[in-house]
Amino acid sequence: MRFALVLGVIGKILRIYSVAFIPPLLLATFNAYNGIESDYSAAIGFAVAAAATLVCGFLLNLTNEKDQNFRRSEALGVVAGSWVVIAVFTAIPYVMLGMSNLDAFFESMSGLTTTGATVLTDFNQTQSFFLWRAMSQWFGGLGVIALFVVILPQLGVAGRQIMFAESSDATTDVVSPSVRKSARNLWLLYTGLTGLEMVLLKFVGNMPTFDSVCHALTTMSAGGFSPNPESIAGYSSPAIEWILIGFMIISGMSFPLLYVGLRRRPKAIFRDGEFRFYMGALLFAALGVALVISKGLLNIESIRIGLFQSASLISSTGFASVDYVNDASWTDQARMFLIIAMLVGGCAGSAAGGPKAIRNLLSLKYMWAELTRTLHPRGVLPLRHRGKVIPNNAMRSILNLVLCYILTYLVVALLLVAFGSNFVTAFSASLACVGNIGPGFDSVGPMGSFAEIGSASKVVLSIGMWMGRLELVTILALLHPDVLRHLRWRGKFFKS
């Protein structure tokens, strides 16, 4: 892997990303001009961040190689490195507004990975601060969609060549041979849905304009940051909750599939096995929650609450309409259904985190096939997805990634316990961060914060969010000895 090439491409990305600081900078400047003193420091912070990002982008770009033929390890290095480098620059405004370096990086990584875990306890912040938090998640969602639908399938990472094979009806009309065109189609859909949600929240849900903008940005990205300290529960509005239920479900759907469905083949959505599995798990969890919290006496309120929390966690958005940790009506049985939703996750091709519903579905199918093969050892039992037989090498990649997720959940949780967290906090925080979901249980629940966990735990969870967002294999592959032995600057090996 040639570091000069990797850093050069990251430099190009930073130069483009520096433009992202302009909206919060303009908002802070406008508010400062109108007498809001706290926005003076915010405006300075965003100006410094924009300048630093642009300058560093130019400097890194000077290292670029003339040979732009990427090796696989170099492509993975750009993907993994850009997320970390951008998170550092995204954190600059937080530091300038008084957060510690570690807390700022945690909040930044949580935003860009669309996790939604927060260390924020004081919500008396400037509008530009909350806009930047929301924008970081929205940009993270843009990057995730382009990365996992357009780029990684071409590298065959973790079985994605099966999920987005060009022969699939769900992708032929959107994932074109041109990467730019593919990304543009998906981003236009993503942006259009975000705008529609803003309008509905404002004019149907009667949510304040600024809050509508922030929540639309963090819903479509499956992020979950909210300017309200009580999340969606702070608005006490069934209309807002119903609107968000719909858009959270959409945010967990495959965007290529949705594109085809909206364009001319709506039946394609309902014929898709992953979508049916996703919706089946969501409705199962929602019904289970509703039955438990209503003690078997279903009503529209319990159904709404069950649907909202199940949609929020299965799509990894992380909004909360109730405090399901401290509310007396929420027993462990109700929270059990939420854990099921968290483990299933959203569809491949969405901004949702975790191993994705399709991998869980195929893993279950594989387990069933192996059980059947025990009874019928001579039987031919091919696994199929969208009418195509899944090759053994792709199935191995899928099972490998699911196993990696399980082991990472366990390792991160045990490290948190070693650093002083209790078991409920540790294991739920691990699931919430590695799965890019956001809230966990106990002290890191929906109305809680990650502020009180130790510094070592924040470092571990920041790494967990980063690895989880890039689906683990992307990072682990870069640590393989074959990559480490061939580290280069340009044409020469590094000397030890």
Side-chain angles (χ1 to χ4, degrees), residues 24-94:
L25 172 60
L26 292 177
L27 178 61
T29 303
F30 176 79
N31 287 340
Y33 178 78
N34 284 281
I36 303 177
E37 294 184 4
S38 57
D39 274 286
Y40 283 105
S41 57
I44 294 172
F46 287 113
V48 169
T53 305
L54 183 62
V55 170
C56 287
F58 273 110
L59 292 176
L60 287 178
N61 191 232
L62 294 176
T63 68
N64 215 347
E65 287 264 271
K66 292 182 179 180
D67 179 11
Q68 293 290 306
N69 293 317
F70 277 87
R71 298 176 179 86
R72 182 183 295 252
S73 61
E74 290 162 347
L76 296 179
V78 170
V79 169
S82 59
W83 235 273
V84 174
V85 173
I86 290 175
V88 170
F89 288 94
T90 300
I92 292 176
Y94 301 147

Side-chain angles (χ1 to χ4, degrees), residues 30 128 273 344 476:
F30 176 79
S128 57
V344 171
L476 296 177

Side-chain angles (χ1 to χ4, degrees), residues 268 445 447:
M447 306 304 167

Side-chain angles (χ1 to χ4, degrees), residues 328-361:
S329 64
W330 280 78
T331 62
D332 287 338
Q333 288 73 28
R335 288 188 280 270
M336 174 195 71
F337 287 103
L338 296 186
I339 293 174
I340 292 173
M342 294 166 78
L343 290 172
V344 171
C347 299
S350 71
K356 303 294 187 296
I358 184 59
R359 292 197 182 95
N360 291 320
L361 174 61

Side-chain angles (χ1 to χ4, degrees), residues 10-24:
I10 292 175
K12 289 182 178 179
I13 296 171
L14 282 179
R15 285 161 54 189
I16 297 170
Y17 189 70
S18 64
V19 179
F21 294 94
I22 293 177

